[in-house]
Amino acid sequence: MRTELSQTKKNSKHANLAQNIHSIITSESVNIGHPDKTCDVIADAFLDSALSQDPNAQMAVECAIKDNKLFVYGESTTTAKIDYDGIAKQILKDIGYTNDFEIIKQISAQSADINHAVVSDTLCANDQGMVYGYATNETSELMPMPIIIAHKIMQKFDEFRRLTNDFFADAKSQVSIEYSNGKPTRIDTVLISVSHSPRLSHDDIVKIITQNVLNPVLSEYKELLTNTKYIINPSGRFTIWGSFGDSGCVGRKIVVDTYGGVGRVGGGCFSSKNATKVDRSAAYYARYVAKNIVAHNLADKCEIQVAYAIGLSTPVSYNIDTFGTEKVSLDDIYKFVHENFDFSLSNIISELDLNRPIYQKTACFGHFGRPDFPWEKIKTTITK
């Protein structure tokens, strides 16, 4: 199942040499009013509704949005009765839309061929594909610093904009971190673009966002604020927002959803999919394993790739890369994983308890680095 260690060691050696330079890494976060994120949240709300009634629901119902039209489409095999229109309209209202939406639906049952391959005596992967999990000890969340700060800025903005009529839900943040020898040393640039009322001047926006969003978040990172550049609404006016300024659909923000471009990502998105879709569940488990490797001080950084085939219950391969930061041999790390973790689909779903309605909360501000989720826990009963 595993790849040869010689190649992993060779790759880690080159990666370690590359760390001994100054570099800047940038990540972004996207708020719920961006059309792509709106669609992710609605799709995962559909999934949660299904799972709350039918834990074995097979779901992949997505959506796309433009102007006042929401297109709902995909596959659903479940005994649940899902109020697609009601769920979507409630979320759109909560986001801040005041207009009525036309909802157009095209939903069918899951392919019988796929269902037969997945639901057998042993639960099997819903599709082929590879997933990645990543962890680093550069933050307390064991996540890359740029994406963590970018998400915190968006979370703070979303909290703040709900207290005022002057700002709307469509927003993005971007954070650039300078690294030296592989460690974060300085916040180089903080960028935020927020939708707003036409009555606000640019100076008003800069002052309000600095005081109410940026300063509260960045106070946690004061030691890194040296010659930091701040860019707020560089395009000028941002009064036409959401689906009336852009279009969106599910799954277009997988780098935002994962590691901000630092760790690699697999071939599929997360939102809308229930746990038999390994694009989602196995990516969660790979993060869980990588985080535990770093949390148990076996390495400073870890990336895991896992590959699956449709109709098979266990992976066809997995590979571990610690980028030359391992504290024990790679053989010992593989042994640690083999003795403490099980990448079979049935175990992933069971160990992380994934047949529950927990997914709407994942769809904005990142799927990783947030303690609410079961794949973020540190395993205490382990064999070393």
Side-chain angles (χ1 to χ4, degrees), residues 3 72 86-87 99 103 156 164 170-171 176 191 196 198 228-229 259-260 291 359 380:
T3 60
V72 177
I87 290 168
N99 58 284
I103 298 179
K156 178 59 70 174
T164 173
D170 197 351
S176 303
L191 164 63
H196 60 88
T228 300
K229 299 182 287 291
Y259 308 104
K291 183 175 182 179
Y359 296 103
T380 55

Side-chain angles (χ1 to χ4, degrees), residues 215-331:
N215 286 348
V217 172
L218 296 175
S219 63
E220 182 182 347
Y221 304 93
K222 285 186 288 189
E223 72 281 2
L224 300 176
L225 297 175
T226 303
N227 298 321
T228 300
K229 299 182 287 291
Y230 299 92
I231 304 172
I232 300 173
N233 277 33
S235 67
R237 286 167 60 88
F238 187 178
T239 60
I240 302 171
W241 64 275
S243 62
F244 292 90
D246 199 357
S247 61
C249 63
V250 168
R252 291 207 297 197
K253 291 291 180 283
I254 56 178
V255 173
V256 172
D257 287 342
T258 53
Y259 308 104
V262 176
R264 286 173 285 189
V265 298
C269 72
F270 300 156
S271 290
S272 83
K273 299 173 181 176
N274 70 289
T276 62
K277 282 76 169 175
V278 290
D279 286 337
R280 183 172 214 162
S281 55
Y284 290 169
Y285 200 77
R287 159 65 178 171
Y288 174 56
V289 176
K291 183 175 182 179
N292 272 271
I293 288 171
V294 173
H296 288 289
N297 202 34
L298 303 181
D300 292 336
K301 298 180 182 181
C302 181
E303 182 177 80
I304 297 178
Q305 185 202 61
V306 191
Y308 290 84
I310 187 169
L312 299 185
S313 61
T314 57
V316 297
S317 70
Y318 73 89
N319 184 64
I320 300 172
D321 192 348
T322 54
F323 307 96
T325 69
E326 63 270 15
K327 309 296 183 63
V328 299
S329 72
L330 286 171
D331 280 326

Side-chain angles (χ1 to χ4, degrees), residues 23-210:
S23 59
I24 294 178
I25 297 175
T26 299
S27 298
E28 71 165 343
S29 182
V30 182
N31 202 37
I32 192 172
H34 185 285
D36 291 337
K37 273 290 136 211
T38 296
C39 290
D40 286 343
V41 171
I42 292 173
D44 276 339
F46 294 156
L47 173 60
D48 280 354
S49 177
L51 293 174
S52 67
Q53 304 170 60
D54 175 14
N56 295 313
Q58 295 292 320
M59 293 287 294
V61 177
E62 306 181 10
C63 50
I65 194 170
K66 178 56 185 160
D67 293 337
N68 67 335
K69 290 183 172 61
L70 181 76
F71 304 88
V72 177
Y73 54 90
E75 305 165 2
S76 172
T77 298
T78 178
T79 59
K81 304 300 181 185
I82 303 168
D83 180 8
Y84 292 104
D85 291 41
I87 290 168
K89 288 180 178 180
Q90 182 57 50
I91 290 173
L92 291 165
K93 180 180 178 181
D94 178 67
I95 287 171
Y97 287 100
T98 57
N99 58 284
D100 292 327
F101 274 80
E102 178 185 357
I103 298 179
I104 304 159
K105 297 189 293 293
Q106 186 69 42
I107 301 167
S108 64
Q110 183 183 61
S111 160
D113 293 341
I114 294 175
N115 188 263
H116 177 74
V118 173
V119 183
S120 58
D121 292 340
T122 302
L123 196 61
C124 298
N126 193 282
D127 203 350
Q128 70 175 52
M130 82 300 190
V131 300
Y132 286 92
Y134 183 81
T136 172
N137 62 7
E138 66 190 55
T139 63
S140 60
E141 297 89 353
L142 301 187
M143 286 284 288
M145 185 173 286
I147 190 67
I148 281 293
I149 299 179
H151 282 323
K152 287 180 179 179
I153 289 172
M154 272 297 88
Q155 286 174 302
K156 178 59 70 174
F157 171 75
D158 197 59
E159 292 171 6
F160 170 70
R161 65 98 182 172
R162 292 176 184 273
L163 304 175
T164 173
N165 294 322
D166 289 333
F167 293 93
F168 310 130
D170 197 351
K172 289 184 176 182
S173 64
Q174 187 170 284
V175 176
S176 303
I177 303 289
E178 183 179 287
Y179 285 74
S180 180
N181 298 325
K183 300 293 183 182
T185 56
R186 187 176 69 89
I187 299 176
D188 181 80
T189 305
V190 175
L191 164 63
I192 185 169
S193 294
V194 300
S195 53
H196 60 88
S197 166
R199 77 177 191 85
L200 292 180
S201 70
H202 187 264
D203 287 344
D204 291 335
I205 294 165
V206 170
K207 181 179 178 181
I208 293 169
I209 293 301
T210 299

Side-chain angles (χ1 to χ4, degrees), residues 8-16 321-324 326 330:
T8 303
K9 289 178 178 177
K10 181 179 177 182
N11 291 342
S12 296
K13 180 180 178 181
H14 291 313
N16 199 36
D321 192 348
T322 54
F323 307 96
E326 63 270 15
L330 286 171

